[in-house]
Amino acid sequence: MIGVGIESTCDETSIGITREGDTLLSLKLYSQIELHKKYRGVVPEIASRAHLEKINLLLEEAIQEAGVGFADLAYVSVSAYPGLMGALIIGAQMARCLAMALGIPVVPVDHLEAHMAAIRLEGQRPEFPYLGVLLSGGNSAVYIVHGFGKMEVVGDTMDDALGEAFDKVAALLDLSYPGGPPVEEQAKQYLPASDEKQLFPELLRDLPRNEVKFSYSGLKTSVLYYTKKNDISAKQIPKICYHFQNTAFQLVEKNLKRAVAITGVKRIVAAGGVLANQTLRDRLHDFSLQKGWDLFTPIKRILCTDNGAMVACLGYHLLQLGKSASLDFRVSPSRQVECS
Ligand code: KG4
């Protein structure tokens, strides 16, 4: 069964085509980073227009690269929530058109759950239940995933998402947008002394005990005060980036420890754009090994970021469970998962 997945929740327009959900046939992605760069963040109206301009072309290219025809498509799947409203509508309309024109079922999917399905495209198949830790520009949260279409929130962010914190810290340090890659690069250049104290430790002290909670706005403000109090030269940027990153990732580890203790689940799927960070990947792998947990992360960077292949993959599995929708399905800017 060949299916197409459409992704347009934020600033990536993407179409993926898969066979039996888990075999990737093609993946086309247009990143709008250049359009949003000068605003240092995603401008919703610009995002919607860019999706509209690119989506048809990407669909044609994906079909061609997969070596299939429109008549081979058995279903269409689309990220329906959460996301920017105008951006979601573009993907949803494309899905409705394909479903109507080809007479195939449409499967709206949760974008967040789709991120966790991405690893299946690389042959990784964790058993349910697993903990899904999603770290991106808009999310820092841990979920428990009981099955396809069945997940609950274990813990969430109280303010800024992790990727957003990278973007804001990069702006403070006059590094490029998006902030993740340049902050990671700078941090790699710094070698701390073995007894070096953390520059930004407050974050870990102030969090509620025994709960999974992310909070990065305090860390970002600490970086801001540090840059104001100290005369920052280019030489100090690697040190600041190192300490920001180190504290930020310690919170991920701490929350995973708490999530495992609360749920008893030791299988973890980590996903989202921030997983492109090699330091984070290495740390999570080492930490999981030390704790005896099974950790799954996407291997290819394109499967960390928002992409249509993960949508086609999850759509297939939901369709097997009979979860297609009528053409008047709703999209929503907000998350639809319940708290456990
Ligand atoms: O999942 P994603 O592609 O899309 C949105 O959530 O929109 O995540 C994008 C986020 C951005 O905030 C970006 O700075 C962050 O992922 N990111 C990184 C790295 N590469 C991208 N954060 C840390 N280190 C990286 N290497």
Side-chain angles (χ1 to χ4, degrees):
M1 184 186 259
I2 294 169
V4 58
I6 303 172
E7 166 59 41
S8 70
T9 54
C10 190
D11 59 342
E12 268 96 20
T13 323
S14 178
I15 305 282
I17 296 181
T18 60
R19 174 178 284 124
E20 314 305 333
D22 298 346
T23 303
L24 182 62
L25 298 185
S26 68
L27 175 54
K28 289 286 157 189
L29 189 147
Y30 168 71
S31 164
Q32 303 177 3
I33 282 175
E34 286 307 314
L35 304 180
H36 301 289
K37 218 171 198 164
K38 69 174 169 186
Y39 307 102
R40 284 201 164 269
V42 179
V43 181
E45 181 57 23
I46 294 176
S48 310
R49 283 172 191 273
H51 286 307
L52 193 57
E53 276 170 22
K54 296 290 179 191
I55 203 160
N56 286 337
L57 185 66
L58 291 172
L59 175 65
E60 276 169 29
E61 287 178 356
I63 291 272
Q64 227 171 42
E65 189 176 292
V68 299
F70 281 100
D72 297 317
L73 299 178
Y75 68 94
V76 53
S77 171
V78 60
S79 280
Y81 49 85
L84 301 170
M85 199 57 190
L88 289 166
I89 287 171
I90 308 298
Q93 278 306 92
M94 162 70 91
R96 291 184 181 109
C97 290
L98 282 174
M100 198 162 15
L102 302 173
I104 55 176
V106 60
V107 191
V109 309
D110 182 336
H111 168 83
L112 306 175
E113 189 187 352
H115 265 297
M116 268 117 35
I119 54 165
R120 301 185 67 86
L121 298 160
E122 295 176 311
Q124 306 184 74
R125 312 274 151 78
E127 272 175 39
F128 295 113
Y130 62 77
L131 292 176
V133 54
L134 191 55
L135 302 166
S136 67
N139 295 276
S140 306
V142 180
Y143 302 92
I144 181 161
V145 186
H146 300 286
F148 295 112
K150 279 191 213 151
M151 67 178 207
E152 295 169 296
V153 183
V154 178
D156 204 355
T157 184
M158 301 194 287
D159 40 64
D160 292 354
L162 179 52
E164 190 181 354
F166 268 91
D167 296 338
K168 288 178 175 172
V169 164
L172 289 175
L173 301 175
D174 216 11
L175 301 173
S176 59
Y177 173 86
V183 169
E184 180 184 11
E185 260 328 292
Q186 291 287 329
K188 271 190 200 153
Q189 292 167 29
Y190 186 70
L191 199 63
S194 58
D195 57 348
E196 188 160 316
K197 286 214 174 90
Q198 289 191 309
L199 274 189
F200 313 116
E202 311 68 318
L203 182 67
L204 304 174
R205 266 206 318 258
D206 298 341
L207 280 174
R209 285 173 186 273
N210 305 323
E211 275 181 51
V212 175
K213 284 269 182 245
F214 290 92
S215 168
Y216 287 112
S217 79
L219 175 58
K220 169 202 67 190
T221 309
S222 299
V223 176
L224 171 69
Y225 287 159
Y226 186 86
T227 56
K228 282 194 166 165
K229 258 195 242 154
N230 301 281
D231 199 10
I232 300 299
S233 68
K235 256 172 71 187
Q236 283 157 298
I237 290 182
K239 179 176 180 179
I240 298 172
C241 290
Y242 169 85
H243 279 280
F244 159 75
Q245 213 182 239
N246 187 40
T247 303
F249 293 165
Q250 273 181 353
L251 182 58
V252 175
E253 291 160 353
K254 187 165 193 155
N255 272 324
L256 276 178
K257 227 166 91 182
R258 288 181 176 182
V260 170
I262 292 168
T263 61
V265 174
K266 295 180 177 174
R267 260 183 308 278
I268 295 162
V269 176
V274 183
L275 260 294
N277 187 301
Q278 193 58 45
T279 311
L280 175 63
R281 297 162 79 91
D282 293 346
R283 277 180 73 145
L284 287 182
H285 278 288
D286 291 350
F287 197 65
S288 300
L289 201 64
Q290 186 197 325
K291 297 275 173 207
W293 305 338
D294 287 328
L295 178 76
F296 303 84
T297 57
I299 300 161
K300 288 193 200 107
R301 300 299 150 97
I302 194 169
L303 294 175
C304 292
T305 197
D306 296 349
N307 70 84
M310 67 186 193
V311 179
C313 173
L314 179 58
Y316 169 84
H317 292 284
L318 292 175
L319 190 62
Q320 301 310 301
L321 298 171
K323 294 192 177 176
S324 59
S326 57
L327 289 183
D328 61 353
F329 70 88
R330 295 282 171 94
V331 295
S332 167
S334 24
R335 199 173 59 181
Q336 308 286 301
V337 241
E338 300 295 325
C339 289
S340 57

